[in-house]
Amino acid sequence: MLSFLNHYLPNVIQLGWTGDTGWGTSIVQTLYMTFWSALFGGILGIIFGVLLVVTKPGGINPNRYWFNLIDKIVSVLRAIPFIILLAFISPLTMLILHTQIGLNAILVPLTLGIFPFYARQVEVALESVDKGKIEAAQSLGATTWDMIFSVYLREARAELVRISTVTIISLIGLTAMAGAIGAGGLGNTAISYGYNRYNTDVTVVATLLVIILILIVQVIGDHFANGLNHQHR
Amino acid sequence: MSLIELANVSVDFDQKGKTVQAVHDVSLIVESGDVYGIVGYSGAGKSTLVRTVNLLQRPTAGSVKVNGQQLIKDGEQVISHGALQLARRKIGMIFQGFNLLNETSVLENVAFALKHSKLSEDEIEAKSRKLLSLVELADKADFYPAQLSGGQQQRVAIARALANDPNILISDEATSALDPQTTQQILQLLQKLNRELGLTIILITHEMAAVKAIATKIAVMENGRLIEHGRLTDVYLHPKQSLTKQFVGGSLAAMKVLNQLHLAKLAPDEAICQLVYNMSNVTHSIIIDLYREVGVVASMLYGNVELLGDQPVGTLMVLLKGDATKQRAALAFLAAHQVTATVIPESEVNHA
């Protein structure tokens, strides 16, 4: 078995499992980047998405000033291509973390890159909640917090899980791009040890691992989304 | 005692720079214990009007007073956001689309309304279960709304609307999405709530049958205006506006039958006349009396008796035969005997 792998995937085996260049290390790095930026970006995205829906004209607490401000922030950040954002944001990263390189440093652009994308999807998901339900809850004297947590977020939860899945998958793509500028992870392995050294076998295996990762996320996401949906019999 | 006072309420919508007046200068008083039916065709402004009662819709002009509390004065909101939330809990509302929260159980849907009550968690659950028993759905507490039929969902919505012991219930086309049998069940439930809990009900509908079944008062809306209102029997027996006549008096059904008959062209001394009368007032046959007293022969073309609440109301379509003097005498005779007589213009009738 090992000789077979050595014969067909010599460079893959050479990288090993542990150590700085190991496969295990890069998988863990990818998961690390994905998890933390999904968490931070997710929280920011939900907050911004909720604020958009609540403050928009005709929302439950309309506020033109806040709506326009948040809307512009999200639109502008979404418009910046991620690869440019990586460079553009580095002074801010320096300010927050006192470093511009490494796994933690990359969390800043990843979070800023993903949250506007997520916020827009949260906005759409919450908008899909039937206006009648909003009205009914208001007629019961529900407070703004009730409206946000018990009506909007709760009623849209299956949709929120679905868009979270899509967002995490996009995020894994972004971590690969971050890897290309040296942040580590499977993207880094594919580019630095594969592509740049003409080790096609490394590139192929790194790509396959990313695909498997994405499929796992998709399956888990679909499972939860279906379990949370009670809209139909 | 007047529970709801709407004074000169108008609602304007801004649609692409154009102002659309959904409700125009409507004044209405609803008294405690009323079942107030508001009828009119779609787009007449019924829903918009009643939404000003709990400020789901802010009126552009006019004043709104509910439960003795001024909500809107001369188009300005005079109640704070927090006070409005409290006021809304005393005004239950049910909707055509039920509008239950689909991701929470039936029990939680009712309990949601009690979130800000003074009750403990256990008391909230107990009260929610009691409300579900009231609407005969105690066994469905742990179901999700989508697992219930439309009628059951509407009953859950009623339980939820009653959670904070409101004294007003607004029903916005609540039976319009239901089949006739389920509609009857919901209407009977509303009537029971009105009689047993003294709940004041505003019933918006485009179905006259629903109003006839349980309403005590009726208001008719057309193009954002309130064109007629009053006690159900008064409006039903003596409709003034042409739209009201279409809605009440069984005129639509009667005209349909009349047009199936393909009558021959009327002779100069003939007229078709609709008679609407309260059966409890009429002890002997008006048709025979008409012949005896006035000498006019009335041949029956159509007849129907309906219940208005508990009162039987008769509708007759007759062909009156007699010269102009006798016809006038006949109409005077009918009016004197509390029969609402309307001469149907010949142009409205199909001829053979």
Side-chain angles (χ1 to χ4, degrees):
Chain A
M1 178 71 180
L2 196 61
S3 65
F4 169 83
L5 289 176
N6 263 324
H7 185 261
Y8 286 100
L9 306 167
N11 307 303
V12 172
I13 299 304
Q14 205 189 345
L15 286 175
W17 184 252
T18 53
D20 281 353
T21 63
W23 288 99
T25 311
S26 53
I27 291 172
V28 168
Q29 285 173 337
T30 293
L31 291 176
Y32 180 90
M33 287 188 284
T34 308
F35 177 79
W36 288 108
S37 51
L39 186 69
F40 297 138
I43 292 170
L44 277 177
I46 295 228
I47 292 173
F48 275 67
V50 166
L51 284 174
L52 280 171
V53 172
V54 168
T55 60
K56 80 166 41 177
I60 53 172
N61 276 16
N63 185 315
R64 199 175 295 259
Y65 175 77
W66 280 105
F67 175 74
N68 283 331
L69 181 72
I70 296 161
D71 191 52
K72 294 292 175 297
I73 293 175
V74 170
S75 294
V76 167
L77 281 176
R78 256 200 88 177
I80 305 173
F82 184 66
I83 200 83
I84 296 173
L85 185 74
L86 282 172
F88 180 74
I89 216 71
S90 58
L92 178 71
T93 311
M94 192 69 187
L95 202 71
I96 299 175
L97 295 168
H98 306 293
T99 174
Q100 287 183 12
I101 50 163
L103 268 183
N104 286 330
I106 205 70
L107 293 181
V108 177
L110 278 176
T111 301
L112 287 180
I114 204 66
F115 100 81
F117 174 75
Y118 189 55
R120 278 288 176 230
Q121 294 191 82
V122 169
E123 184 190 359
V124 173
L126 301 187
E127 285 286 315
S128 74
V129 175
D130 184 0
K131 291 278 168 294
K133 288 177 191 163
I134 309 297
E135 224 181 18
Q138 283 178 319
S139 79
L140 293 168
T143 62
T144 303
W145 288 120
D146 294 339
M147 300 299 296
I148 293 172
F149 290 102
S150 303
V151 183
Y152 275 120
L153 292 176
R154 178 116 193 209
E155 285 297 298
R157 62 187 186 175
E159 196 54 34
L160 287 171
V161 170
R162 218 167 282 129
I163 62 163
S164 302
T165 309
V166 172
T167 305
I168 290 172
I169 288 170
S170 296
L171 192 55
I172 293 172
L174 296 189
T175 66
M177 223 186 286
I181 64 152
L186 288 167
N188 185 39
T189 304
I191 301 294
S192 303
Y193 309 125
Y195 181 74
N196 289 346
R197 296 179 190 179
Y198 304 103
N199 294 335
T200 311
D201 57 337
V202 172
T203 312
V204 168
V205 169
T207 309
L208 285 176
L209 286 172
V210 170
I211 291 173
I212 290 169
L213 204 58
I214 285 173
L215 287 178
I216 292 172
V217 170
Q218 185 74 62
V219 167
I220 294 174
D222 287 349
H223 176 75
F224 277 111
N226 290 334
L228 287 176
N229 190 354
H230 297 98
Q231 308 283 339
H232 305 287
R233 276 157 210 251
Chain B
M1 191 188 78
S2 59
L3 265 190
I4 302 171
E5 291 173 38
L6 302 179
N8 309 102
V9 168
S10 292
V11 182
D12 297 342
F13 288 125
D14 206 33
Q15 275 177 355
K16 291 170 194 155
K18 249 182 25 190
T19 305
V20 179
Q21 201 157 42
V23 173
H24 182 80
D25 195 21
V26 170
S27 297
L28 188 70
I29 287 179
V30 178
E31 287 178 29
S32 187
D34 281 351
V35 178
Y36 216 122
I38 300 181
V39 296
Y41 292 119
S42 310
K46 313 181 292 286
S47 293
T48 312
L49 176 70
V50 293
R51 275 170 171 68
T52 63
V53 171
N54 56 5
L55 293 200
L56 285 180
Q57 177 65 53
R58 252 198 75 166
T60 329
S63 303
V64 177
K65 199 172 171 186
V66 180
N67 278 329
Q69 196 173 19
Q70 194 86 41
L71 308 185
I72 298 279
K73 188 149 184 67
D74 301 324
E76 293 301 317
Q77 187 168 334
V78 291
I79 185 171
S80 70
H81 197 65
L84 176 60
Q85 280 167 6
L86 292 178
R88 278 175 172 167
R89 289 175 198 151
K90 291 293 166 194
I91 311 168
M93 186 160 180
I94 53 175
F95 304 82
Q96 179 170 6
F98 322 131
N99 295 341
L100 298 174
L101 300 176
N102 283 328
E103 299 295 346
T104 52
S105 71
V106 162
L107 185 70
E108 287 171 295
N109 260 285
V110 181
F112 172 70
L114 291 167
K115 209 167 170 181
H116 299 283
S117 62
K118 299 272 188 296
L119 304 176
S120 70
E121 294 254 328
D122 288 346
E123 287 167 331
I124 287 178
E125 191 186 326
K127 185 164 186 190
S128 304
R129 288 192 187 279
K130 211 179 105 194
L131 286 159
L132 286 174
S133 325
L134 180 73
V135 297
E136 292 162 19
L137 283 176
D139 54 329
K140 304 283 188 207
D142 297 322
F143 282 57
Y144 281 96
Q147 293 170 301
L148 305 184
S149 71
Q152 290 171 328
Q153 288 194 46
Q154 195 59 286
R155 270 147 60 196
V156 176
I158 292 173
R160 179 176 71 170
L162 295 178
N164 288 301
D165 307 310
N167 46 6
I168 300 166
L169 181 70
I170 300 172
S171 161
D172 183 7
E173 298 277 7
T175 58
S176 301
L178 303 173
D179 61 67
Q181 205 181 347
T182 315
T183 295
Q184 281 310 313
Q185 288 170 2
I186 296 289
L187 290 174
Q188 276 160 16
L189 175 61
L190 292 181
Q191 190 165 48
K192 185 178 124 182
L193 295 171
N194 170 255
R195 286 180 179 163
E196 291 177 11
L197 307 179
L199 193 67
T200 303
I201 297 175
I202 301 185
L203 190 74
I204 307 173
T205 182
H206 61 269
E207 302 163 314
M208 195 57 209
V211 171
K212 278 195 295 204
I214 66 166
T216 55
K217 289 183 184 166
I218 177 175
V220 184
M221 282 191 80
E222 185 179 29
N223 298 327
R225 288 162 202 270
L226 194 66
I227 57 169
E228 200 159 349
H229 64 102
R231 283 164 39 82
L232 178 68
T233 41
D234 293 343
V235 173
Y236 198 90
L237 294 174
H238 312 286
K240 292 180 187 75
Q241 305 290 331
S242 64
L243 177 74
T244 317
K245 286 176 186 164
Q246 279 181 40
F247 263 104
V248 302
S251 310
L252 279 180
M255 286 308 291
K256 218 169 155 186
V257 173
L258 210 57
N259 282 327
Q260 295 285 320
L261 297 176
H262 292 290
L263 299 166
K265 196 125 183 71
L266 297 182
D269 62 345
E270 287 177 335
I272 295 174
C273 193
Q274 176 184 260
L275 313 179
V276 181
Y277 53 97
N278 191 330
M279 300 276 286
S280 49
N281 286 346
V282 179
T283 43
H284 37 268
S285 166
I286 27 168
I287 293 198
I288 293 177
D289 288 353
L290 208 54
Y291 178 67
R292 275 194 197 139
E293 311 273 327
V294 194
V296 167
V297 177
S299 8
M300 246 215 270
L301 301 173
Y302 166 91
N304 186 29
V305 177
E306 314 172 81
L307 283 177
L308 270 196
D310 330 313
Q311 287 201 55
V313 168
T315 302
L316 285 181
M317 283 284 188
V318 293
L319 188 69
L320 295 180
K321 204 168 165 66
D323 59 32
T325 332
K326 279 189 172 175
Q327 299 251 358
R328 265 198 305 278
L331 292 178
F333 172 84
L334 290 166
H337 288 77
Q338 280 93 43
V339 176
T340 307
T342 322
V343 176
I344 308 286
E346 207 183 340
S347 54
E348 288 182 18
V349 184
N350 283 348
H351 292 292

